[in-house]
Amino acid sequence: MSSLSLKIALAQINFLVGNVSANVDNIIKAAITARDDLAADMIVFPELIVTGYPAEDLLFRADFIEEANNAIQYIAESVNDIALVLGFPELSDDKLYNSAVVLHQGVTLACYRKRALPNYGVFDERRYFTAGNQVCVFEFNGGFIGLTICEDVWQKGIIDANKQAGAELLLTLNASPFNSGKINQREAVICSQVKAAQIPIVYVNQVGGQDELIFDGASFVANSQGEIIYRAEEFKEHIGRVEFINNKPIIGECVPLYDNIASVYQALVLGIKDYVRKNGFGGAILGLSGGIDSALVLALAVDALGSDKVEAVLMPSRYTQDMSNEDAILEAEKLDVKYHIIPIEPAVNAFTGMLAEVFAGTKKDTTEENIQARCRGVILMAMSNKQGKLLLTTGNKSEMSVGYATLYGDMAGGFAPIKDVPKMLVYQLAHYRNTLSQVIPERVITRPPSAELAPDQVDEDSLPPYEILDAILERYVEKDQSADDIIAAGFSREHVARAINLVDKNEYKRRQSPPGIRITSRAFGRDRRYPITSGYKGIKD
Amino acid sequence: MSSLSLKIALAQINFLVGNVSANVDNIIKAAITARDDLAADMIVFPELIVTGYPAEDLLFRADFIEEANNAIQYIAESVNDIALVLGFPELSDDKLYNSAVVLHQGVTLACYRKRALPNYGVFDERRYFTAGNQVCVFEFNGGFIGLTICEDVWQKGIIDANKQAGAELLLTLNASPFNSGKINQREAVICSQVKAAQIPIVYVNQVGGQDELIFDGASFVANSQGEIIYRAEEFKEHIGRVEFINNKPIIGECVPLYDNIASVYQALVLGIKDYVRKNGFGGAILGLSGGIDSALVLALAVDALGSDKVEAVLMPSRYTQDMSNEDAILEAEKLDVKYHIIPIEPAVNAFTGMLAEVFAGTKKDTTEENIQARCRGVILMAMSNKQGKLLLTTGNKSEMSVGYATLYGDMAGGFAPIKDVPKMLVYQLAHYRNTLSQVIPERVITRPPSAELAPDQVDEDSLPPYEILDAILERYVEKDQSADDIIAAGFSREHVARAINLVDKNEYKRRQSPPGIRITSRAFGRDRRYPITSGYKGIKD
């Protein structure tokens, strides 16, 4: 029987990418808290916590890497009587490693170099790092502990290698980003691995929003049967503690997981909150149309920032129905948000006059619709500029996929919270939010969606019904299915062709869209990298 | 003495990413030309020519990969009596390789899998491909030929391995993107390698523009002394031929290289031409301010597309000086380009009125400047939408670096030709263009640059002088030098701090900028991937 006994703190903390000195201060503070308040023998931090993750091309800067490497000795010397396990970009012989270091009583007890470097999806780790090729097992408190980092424990081989090298307990430092369903998947994969290897695991994940990524936390401890005996709350900072006696973890608090819809909602709230806070904005503004998308974004923004930090702007045109204005006002009032009403007619008329000569003899087309949307963009950006508030863009993933949005118009803004949320999920999230308190008028949820840029316009004039469109898009965009496969699954050739052709030709719009929160397994942006100039046709004519 | 004798055609052709069937047709056509018109025994095509390069995440699509793999047998069966050497994404046992195949008389003679997969700068090859681990030398016409792909021949080891495996001649299939100075560097590196290994090389490079990348061609043949005995023209399609007798290449035509400024100019022209052509635009429009940037872009656009495909729009405001209008008109007239004059005052007044209430009591700031720029953006986008012409954005790299541009204003557009051209290089390019024929008025080159968004405004009110700014930016952005290093090199702390702080905080603007042509060793976009949310400060307060 192993005599490994210790109290381990799990530091699920929200750090800022790029700010080494602030991160170092937070690491030291957390370690002292864990030692003094939790009586922990060891504190485990997430992957690359010294720099934040992902630091992207900051990792190519010699000054940045030097600062991060110098920080290790400084941290080691700053805290005694607790071991710190933390991730940093280790520079050695001109090579950079994604490393985990164990600091104890002023010295480095062990250093492990990540072996499995993910280079798919949103990950570019082989751009920066050299892979390690060694297991790292160190002795502590009468037992042997193995170090691993994130992707390592998704691979059976590395866990087995640790076990063979004598590890009785596995520590895993992570920066594992959220998507819908990911937490269940993560726990299932890792618990089945540790169960097979018969080794307990302490899994510490980063929490917080970083541009398009949300790190959900949900740090956990599983015993050697793969049973989760401790779980920290999702989407929140938390320093928890688990005690091991003779290498058996004592059962602690297991915060239950949110269901899928609630977890997406929480991810969006955290994403908005961190983007605004970490980028130093005084608050947020958005255009409120009376439609479901802006209604949801308003609720998210208020839940993230508070009513007093959010402002809404109604910008009706001649095509705006009365019920749109009524519902928008109702939303703002329900959420106690300051709102302005600025009709766009004067600007639209000005542009129409200015362009009359060059447009003489041409027919009305989407150009005129785009002018309306762009007048709204100018108003919102002016208010954002004047007040230092972040403009939230309210477009959803269905629109982004098919380009049903105006560049520099409704696409204008600094952050697009629901950019990766398909329309049908927008409805589910709105419904979910209303179960907490009724803030989105029922009519907004039930009326047919419309851009209101032309008389009696509804989205279905231009697009397949959203329940069909979203299903096709999930298959084509997220799962890379071919048109033939999608048609074979029961969708009409007409709907498939319409959707795919629009996705194919609208990459140029997506390339200029603001960043937004990734909540699916494949978001536009870093996750789906398509050429703009492309002869690929997802469906042949 | 080797008895390897053959006539090799070098197919420096401009292909379209994603369109496998069109690429296959072009491959077959080129092979027949090489066989019938040039009496070639073999034709060598660029890297991954079947799909185009870079196909990015299209490579994750099973339908696309299947089409590309099926194409190989089809090509093999379509042309006889000439060997075809071409690149394609080879699918084998669920792994994807960046491969070169030799097709002859209907069968595959050899297949090589690229060993050195670049994953730095603009390259993401480890995202898609598994690295090969074998040398591939095949017998042909009485001798032994080794196959290599692009990055392979930048590494000494792989050339030596080919030599040791008996190769007497090296073929290299490339998709090597242009930047200023790259062609000289490429020839120097590769010729020194082949000289050391004493093996001749046939180097075939792709030509054409693909989103941000320009492939410059400049295919060449070097003998075993590393002397270039044949070179195809840069930036043009060309099928050339070199004869080897007893493995000695017969000296052919060596088109001289452009000097640096001229090569950048040609790259920009090709980039505009291909973006417009490959994306199916009817032409291009741009805003003409009377400043140097838009003057240069106008000249580039006309050189790329012809006068009849380009339209210019003058959009004066109360801050526009008469000489700006005069010079803009002169530029349009010299280049025989249709132009429109649309003063922006009516729209600016409309917005000012609409915002009067919410802005009551606030001071004028950049908000009012941005409104002017955004009114121009609305006008230009409306004209682009109505006519199906590409809007060219005229901002330069110095502005993009420090954020001296208005999002959705002067940054609006589908393509930003000089986005990677620093201001001082803009002047050099303007001067160079005027040596071909005088199209940019001298006054435009000599007057102090101004955004003309406020009374008597000049850029130097807000920025260090461009000759200083550009030098700092090159060090900070392209070479990742630290503030301390830059100051140590002789720049004032004040200038360095101003420049670096602006670069650091304007990543959000760059993220929404249109794509543009990469001409330096490090462009914004795929090449320099920085977080927006970042606590990194390049210079401490």
Side-chain angles (χ1 to χ4, degrees):
Chain A
M1 188 171 74
S2 170
S3 62
L4 178 61
S5 293
L6 80 171
K7 301 188 189 82
I8 301 184
L10 293 83
Q12 178 175 304
I13 306 188
N14 192 341
F15 282 60
L16 180 58
V17 162
N19 194 335
V20 171
S21 62
N23 292 347
V24 166
D25 289 347
N26 284 327
I27 288 167
I28 292 169
K29 220 173 89 187
I32 291 170
T33 300
R35 180 192 65 193
D36 296 348
D37 299 352
L38 303 177
D41 307 298
M42 174 180 282
I43 180 167
V44 182
F45 292 90
E47 180 178 12
L48 287 172
I49 201 67
V50 171
T51 53
Y53 185 97
E56 304 186 58
D57 282 9
L58 286 172
L59 294 169
F60 291 144
R61 301 200 69 88
D63 55 346
F64 184 65
I65 295 298
E66 189 186 344
E67 192 185 3
N69 279 262
N70 290 343
I72 299 304
Q73 190 54 34
Y74 175 79
I75 296 169
E77 289 167 7
S78 300
V79 201
N80 272 322
D81 301 324
I82 183 165
L84 291 85
V85 185
L86 53 91
F88 80 112
E90 181 199 357
L91 183 68
S92 176
D93 285 337
D94 278 339
K95 284 181 181 150
L96 200 64
Y97 300 93
N98 181 342
S99 292
V101 70
V102 184
L103 307 175
H104 194 226
Q105 308 301 63
V107 299
T108 296
L109 217 62
C111 188
Y112 167 72
R113 293 165 176 173
K114 186 175 183 179
R115 297 172 69 181
L117 297 176
N119 208 65
Y120 56 82
V122 299
F123 302 108
D124 283 309
E125 290 197 16
R126 292 186 210 166
R127 180 173 173 87
Y128 309 106
F129 299 111
T130 300
N133 53 16
Q134 303 286 322
V135 167
C136 177
V137 175
F138 65 99
E139 193 171 359
F140 192 82
N141 273 27
F144 293 91
I145 301 176
L147 287 175
T148 53
I149 301 175
C150 210
E151 190 82 2
D152 286 335
V153 293
W154 292 70
Q155 306 198 350
K156 200 176 170 319
I158 293 175
I159 294 182
D160 289 345
N162 270 277
K163 178 90 179 182
Q164 281 155 28
E168 300 161 291
L169 167 65
L170 223 50
L171 305 181
T172 309
L173 288 67
N174 304 272
S176 179
F178 171 80
N179 59 251
S180 175
K182 174 77 170 283
I183 305 179
N184 288 310
Q185 180 203 13
R186 184 195 294 149
E187 291 187 353
V189 168
I190 292 166
C191 289
S192 99
Q193 313 261 39
V194 297
K195 184 182 178 186
Q198 289 281 303
I199 186 167
I201 193 166
V202 173
Y203 184 101
V204 180
N205 193 21
Q206 182 177 336
V207 71
Q210 172 59 30
D211 289 347
E212 307 202 328
L213 301 182
I214 300 298
F215 298 93
D216 49 75
S219 301
F220 66 90
V221 176
N223 63 22
S224 57
Q225 279 74 55
E227 295 157 346
I228 291 185
I229 60 92
Y230 166 86
R231 185 192 297 117
E233 195 172 357
E234 301 160 81
F235 308 112
K236 289 247 167 77
E237 287 197 288
H238 185 71
I239 303 181
R241 195 202 74 173
V242 171
E243 183 167 9
F244 285 75
I245 298 177
N246 295 332
N247 203 29
K248 282 215 164 58
I250 309 299
I251 294 175
E253 190 188 16
C254 268
V255 180
L257 294 173
Y258 288 106
D259 70 23
N260 260 354
I261 302 296
S263 75
V264 169
Y265 195 90
Q266 293 302 324
L268 297 173
V269 167
L270 178 57
I272 295 171
K273 189 175 175 175
D274 273 6
Y275 196 87
V276 167
R277 181 176 66 87
K278 293 181 178 180
N279 287 295
F281 288 99
I285 67 160
L286 76 167
L288 205 57
S289 70
I292 184 77
D293 297 318
S294 59
L296 176 63
V297 174
L298 180 71
L300 289 164
V302 168
D303 290 346
L305 309 171
S307 294
D308 58 318
K309 298 281 189 210
V310 181
E311 266 182 55
V313 191
L314 282 69
M315 293 167 290
S317 77
R318 73 187 78 171
Y319 305 119
T320 306
Q321 295 191 40
D322 289 341
M323 72 166 153
S324 300
N325 291 326
E326 291 159 15
D327 289 342
I329 291 170
L330 203 58
E331 291 156 17
E333 286 175 346
K334 283 237 186 196
L335 287 162
D336 197 20
V337 159
K338 184 174 170 187
Y339 66 92
H340 311 270
I341 303 178
I342 304 179
I344 59 168
E345 217 66 10
V348 173
N349 289 341
F351 283 118
T352 307
M354 291 156 74
L355 287 161
E357 199 179 315
V358 290
F359 283 3
T362 65
K363 282 195 192 147
K364 278 205 176 183
D365 55 19
T366 51
T367 304
E368 284 75 14
E369 300 187 13
N370 288 335
I371 288 174
Q372 297 169 55
R374 291 193 180 114
C375 286
R376 295 191 175 109
V378 174
I379 292 286
L380 290 169
M381 285 302 295
M383 293 181 66
S384 165
N385 290 164
K386 189 62 94 182
Q387 305 184 29
K389 288 188 174 163
L390 174 68
L391 173 56
L392 296 175
T393 311
T394 61
N396 61 60
K397 188 175 195 175
S398 311
E399 291 173 359
M400 273 299 91
S401 301
V402 296
Y404 196 69
T406 299
L407 205 51
Y408 323 134
D410 51 313
M411 285 177 65
F415 199 59
I418 60 169
K419 177 187 182 184
D420 195 38
V421 180
K423 187 79 171 185
M424 296 310 291
L425 183 52
V426 169
Y427 285 109
Q428 290 179 287
L429 290 166
H431 177 76
Y432 164 77
R433 180 60 185 81
N434 272 355
T435 64
L436 305 182
S437 64
Q438 217 275 331
V439 294
I440 301 174
E442 195 54 31
R443 187 165 65 174
V444 175
I445 299 180
T446 52
R447 64 183 284 206
S450 166
E452 297 195 325
L453 294 168
D456 303 320
Q457 186 180 42
V458 291
D459 293 7
E460 283 193 24
D461 298 341
S462 313
L463 303 174
Y466 280 114
E467 59 270 31
I468 293 171
L469 179 63
D470 280 2
I472 295 171
L473 292 174
E474 186 184 357
R475 288 165 183 271
Y476 187 68
V477 173
E478 288 175 39
K479 301 193 196 306
D480 279 338
Q481 288 186 12
S482 69
D484 287 347
D485 290 344
I486 301 172
I487 293 166
F491 296 89
S492 77
R493 190 180 162 84
E494 187 196 341
H495 282 149
V496 173
R498 179 88 187 128
I500 288 183
N501 283 329
L502 287 170
V503 172
D504 286 352
K505 77 179 189 193
N506 279 294
E507 182 58 28
Y508 76 99
K509 279 194 193 176
R510 291 188 288 267
R511 200 67 74 86
Q512 290 190 48
S513 70
I517 301 162
R518 176 179 181 271
I519 60 107
T520 70
S521 60
R522 196 159 188 210
F524 296 114
R526 291 289 153 90
D527 211 357
R528 186 182 187 266
R529 306 177 188 176
Y530 265 56
I532 298 177
T533 303
S534 169
Y536 176 77
K537 288 180 78 70
I539 186 160
K540 310 291 178 196
D541 298 324
Chain B
M1 188 171 74
S2 169
S3 62
L4 177 62
S5 294
L6 80 172
K7 302 187 190 83
I8 302 186
L10 293 82
Q12 176 175 305
I13 307 187
N14 192 342
F15 283 60
L16 180 57
V17 161
N19 195 335
V20 171
S21 61
N23 292 347
V24 166
D25 290 347
N26 284 328
I27 288 167
I28 292 170
K29 221 174 89 187
I32 291 170
T33 301
R35 180 192 66 193
D36 296 348
D37 299 353
L38 302 176
D41 306 297
M42 175 180 280
I43 179 166
V44 182
F45 291 89
E47 180 179 11
L48 287 172
I49 202 65
V50 170
T51 53
Y53 186 97
E56 305 187 58
D57 282 9
L58 286 172
L59 293 170
F60 290 143
R61 300 199 70 89
D63 55 344
F64 184 65
I65 295 300
E66 188 185 345
E67 192 185 3
N69 278 262
N70 291 342
I72 299 304
Q73 190 55 32
Y74 174 80
I75 296 169
E77 289 167 7
S78 301
V79 201
N80 273 321
D81 301 325
I82 183 166
L84 292 85
V85 184
L86 53 92
F88 80 111
E90 181 199 358
L91 183 68
S92 175
D93 285 337
D94 278 339
K95 284 182 181 150
L96 200 64
Y97 299 93
N98 180 342
S99 293
V101 70
V102 184
L103 307 175
H104 193 226
Q105 308 301 64
V107 299
T108 296
L109 218 61
C111 187
Y112 168 72
R113 293 167 176 172
K114 186 175 182 179
R115 297 172 69 180
L117 297 176
N119 207 65
Y120 56 82
V122 299
F123 302 109
D124 284 308
E125 290 197 16
R126 290 184 212 168
R127 181 174 172 86
Y128 309 107
F129 299 112
T130 299
N133 54 15
Q134 303 285 323
V135 167
C136 176
V137 175
F138 65 98
E139 192 171 359
F140 193 83
N141 274 25
F144 293 91
I145 301 177
L147 287 175
T148 54
I149 301 175
C150 211
E151 189 81 2
D152 286 336
V153 294
W154 292 71
Q155 307 199 350
K156 198 175 171 317
I158 293 175
I159 294 181
D160 289 345
N162 270 277
K163 178 88 179 183
Q164 281 156 26
E168 300 163 293
L169 167 64
L170 221 50
L171 306 181
T172 309
L173 289 66
N174 304 274
S176 179
F178 171 81
N179 59 252
S180 174
K182 174 77 169 284
I183 305 178
N184 288 311
Q185 180 203 12
R186 183 194 295 149
E187 291 186 353
V189 168
I190 292 166
C191 289
S192 99
Q193 312 262 42
V194 299
K195 185 182 178 186
Q198 290 280 304
I199 186 167
I201 193 166
V202 173
Y203 183 101
V204 180
N205 193 20
Q206 181 175 338
V207 70
Q210 171 61 29
D211 289 346
E212 307 201 326
L213 301 181
I214 300 298
F215 298 93
D216 49 75
S219 301
F220 66 89
V221 175
N223 63 22
S224 57
Q225 279 75 53
E227 295 156 347
I228 291 185
I229 61 92
Y230 167 87
R231 185 191 299 116
E233 195 171 354
E234 299 159 82
F235 307 110
K236 289 249 167 77
E237 287 198 287
H238 184 71
I239 303 181
R241 196 202 72 174
V242 171
E243 183 168 9
F244 285 76
I245 298 177
N246 294 332
N247 203 27
K248 282 217 165 60
I250 309 300
I251 293 175
E253 190 187 15
C254 269
V255 180
L257 294 174
Y258 288 107
D259 69 23
N260 260 354
I261 302 295
S263 75
V264 169
Y265 195 89
Q266 294 302 324
L268 296 174
V269 167
L270 178 57
I272 295 171
K273 189 175 176 176
D274 272 6
Y275 196 87
V276 168
R277 180 175 66 87
K278 293 181 178 180
N279 287 295
F281 288 99
I285 68 160
L286 77 166
L288 206 57
S289 70
I292 184 77
D293 297 318
S294 59
L296 176 63
V297 174
L298 180 71
L300 289 163
V302 168
D303 290 345
L305 309 171
S307 294
D308 58 321
K309 298 281 189 212
V310 182
E311 267 182 52
V313 191
L314 282 67
M315 292 167 291
S317 77
R318 72 187 78 172
Y319 305 119
T320 306
Q321 294 191 41
D322 289 342
M323 72 167 154
S324 300
N325 290 326
E326 290 160 16
D327 289 342
I329 290 170
L330 202 58
E331 291 157 18
E333 286 174 346
K334 282 237 185 196
L335 286 162
D336 197 20
V337 159
K338 184 173 170 187
Y339 66 92
H340 311 269
I341 303 178
I342 304 179
I344 59 167
E345 217 67 9
V348 173
N349 290 341
F351 284 117
T352 308
M354 291 155 74
L355 288 160
E357 199 180 314
V358 290
F359 283 3
T362 65
K363 281 193 190 150
K364 279 206 179 184
D365 56 20
T366 51
T367 304
E368 284 73 14
E369 300 186 13
N370 287 336
I371 288 173
Q372 297 169 56
R374 291 193 181 115
C375 286
R376 295 191 174 109
V378 174
I379 292 287
L380 290 168
M381 285 302 295
M383 294 182 65
S384 166
N385 289 165
K386 189 63 95 183
Q387 304 183 29
K389 288 187 173 162
L390 174 68
L391 173 56
L392 296 175
T393 311
T394 61
N396 61 60
K397 188 176 195 175
S398 311
E399 292 172 358
M400 273 300 92
S401 301
V402 296
Y404 197 69
T406 299
L407 205 51
Y408 324 134
D410 51 312
M411 284 177 67
F415 199 59
I418 61 169
K419 177 187 181 182
D420 195 38
V421 180
K423 188 79 173 186
M424 297 309 291
L425 183 53
V426 169
Y427 284 108
Q428 291 178 288
L429 290 165
H431 176 77
Y432 164 77
R433 180 59 185 81
N434 272 353
T435 64
L436 306 182
S437 65
Q438 217 274 331
V439 294
I440 300 173
E442 195 55 30
R443 186 165 65 174
V444 174
I445 301 180
T446 53
R447 67 183 283 206
S450 166
E452 297 195 327
L453 294 168
D456 303 321
Q457 185 180 43
V458 292
D459 293 6
E460 283 193 24
D461 297 341
S462 312
L463 303 174
Y466 280 114
E467 58 271 30
I468 293 171
L469 179 63
D470 280 2
I472 295 172
L473 292 174
E474 186 184 359
R475 288 167 182 270
Y476 187 67
V477 173
E478 288 175 37
K479 301 194 197 305
D480 279 337
Q481 288 185 13
S482 70
D484 287 346
D485 289 345
I486 301 171
I487 292 165
F491 296 90
S492 77
R493 189 180 162 85
E494 187 196 341
H495 282 149
V496 172
R498 178 90 188 125
I500 287 183
N501 284 329
L502 287 170
V503 172
D504 287 351
K505 76 177 189 195
N506 279 293
E507 182 60 26
Y508 75 100
K509 279 194 194 177
R510 292 188 288 267
R511 199 67 74 84
Q512 290 191 47
S513 70
I517 301 162
R518 176 179 180 270
I519 61 106
T520 70
S521 60
R522 196 158 188 211
F524 296 112
R526 292 288 153 90
D527 210 357
R528 185 181 188 267
R529 306 177 189 177
Y530 265 56
I532 298 176
T533 303
S534 170
Y536 176 76
K537 288 181 78 71
I539 186 159
K540 310 290 179 196
D541 298 324

